[in-house]
Amino acid sequence: MVRPSTPAKRPYAPRLAPAERREQLLDAALEIINRAGVAAVSVDAVAKAAGVTRPVVYGQFTDADDLLCALLEREGERAQAQLAATLPGDLNGADPVEVFTGVARRYYDAVVGAPNRWRAILLPVDGSPPAVRRYKERSDALIREQFARAVRWFLRDAVDAADLDVELLIRVLLAALEEGGRLVLDDPEHYPPERLTAMARFLVETLLHRYPYTAR
């Protein structure tokens, strides 16, 4: 008599320290986003991608939204650190064209160097959970504030610059940078960092032609 075969048990995932397990699950969610979009992130999908059971995921996150917020916070902090490093600490005597051109070039190099991170950061947030959208809005506001300080510094003595809407200008410039980031991710051969950086230089030179800056 042939005994019925018993289904093979699923192998247990290797034991990891809580912090390591959390990073593993976030990495799995990031891979899912890059492969199938943010809507594909679920507890089941992350568990499968990480080779663990659902309770392991629930041991770290309350639900998929909590996981997405943690992922965006992690990648957002790393992205902010990369962006902050593009601005020099001391702007005295600096050439604004070179400063902002350098910012653009280092930003595009960062995007190319960590495409998975920046795909998650640059994804449209309309379909994301409310908590994710709120975090993205706070993060964007912080970046705008940093760049606005630099612009105001360079234009503080420029004739008629007091009438310039710096808040709107920063939104437009950062929107252009973000769109460039999406272009280099989607089609790096047609939109290489060099091409995008040249456009950034053109935009800054055009602005400073209208509001000349005198270096001290």
Side-chain angles (χ1 to χ4, degrees):
M1 180 178 179
V2 179
R3 294 180 179 179
S5 60
T6 57
K9 292 183 178 180
R10 182 176 183 176
Y12 287 103
R15 287 188 176 274
L16 295 175
E20 292 178 305
R21 179 67 73 192
R22 184 180 180 86
E23 290 299 300
Q24 179 202 28
L25 297 175
L26 292 176
D27 289 342
L30 187 59
E31 290 178 6
I32 292 170
I33 288 175
N34 277 271
R35 184 177 66 250
V38 67
V41 176
S42 66
V43 171
D44 283 335
V46 171
K48 182 177 180 180
V52 300
T53 60
R54 286 166 51 92
V56 171
V57 180
Y58 282 120
Q60 293 287 337
F61 305 100
T62 57
D63 53 25
D65 287 359
D66 182 36
L67 193 155
L68 280 171
C69 287
L71 175 63
L72 185 59
E73 182 174 1
R74 185 189 76 171
E75 298 304 315
E77 287 177 353
R78 294 174 180 177
Q80 285 180 23
Q82 288 181 303
L83 283 177
T86 66
L87 278 172
D90 185 3
L91 296 175
N92 281 301
D95 182 332
V97 173
E98 297 305 324
V99 167
F100 287 108
T101 300
V103 165
R105 180 56 199 245
R106 288 187 287 273
Y107 165 70
Y108 294 128
D109 285 345
V111 172
V112 171
N116 286 357
R117 171 180 305 151
W118 285 96
R119 281 194 186 93
I121 295 297
L122 295 174
L123 280 173
V125 298
D126 293 345
S128 301
V132 171
R133 294 199 298 272
R134 287 194 296 270
Y135 178 83
K136 182 69 163 55
E137 289 166 0
R138 291 194 302 270
S139 175
D140 288 348
L142 178 61
I143 292 171
R144 288 196 300 270
E145 181 182 345
Q146 292 173 332
F147 278 80
R149 283 200 299 267
V151 169
R152 289 191 176 99
W153 167 265
F154 284 124
L155 299 182
R156 65 195 184 281
D157 295 328
V159 178
D160 296 332
D163 298 329
L164 178 63
D165 190 337
V166 174
E167 178 189 355
L168 183 56
L169 172 66
I170 292 302
R171 284 183 175 273
V172 170
L173 291 178
L174 289 179
L177 276 178
E178 287 195 355
E179 178 60 17
R182 284 185 281 269
L183 289 173
V184 75
L185 285 171
D186 293 339
D187 192 354
E189 291 188 7
H190 193 59
Y191 299 103
E194 295 81 6
R195 182 181 181 187
L196 297 168
T197 302
M199 176 54 66
R201 175 180 285 273
F202 168 78
L203 292 175
V204 176
E205 287 177 338
T206 301
L207 170 67
L208 293 176
H209 179 74
R210 174 64 179 82
Y211 299 103
Y213 166 78
T214 302
R216 292 194 175 103

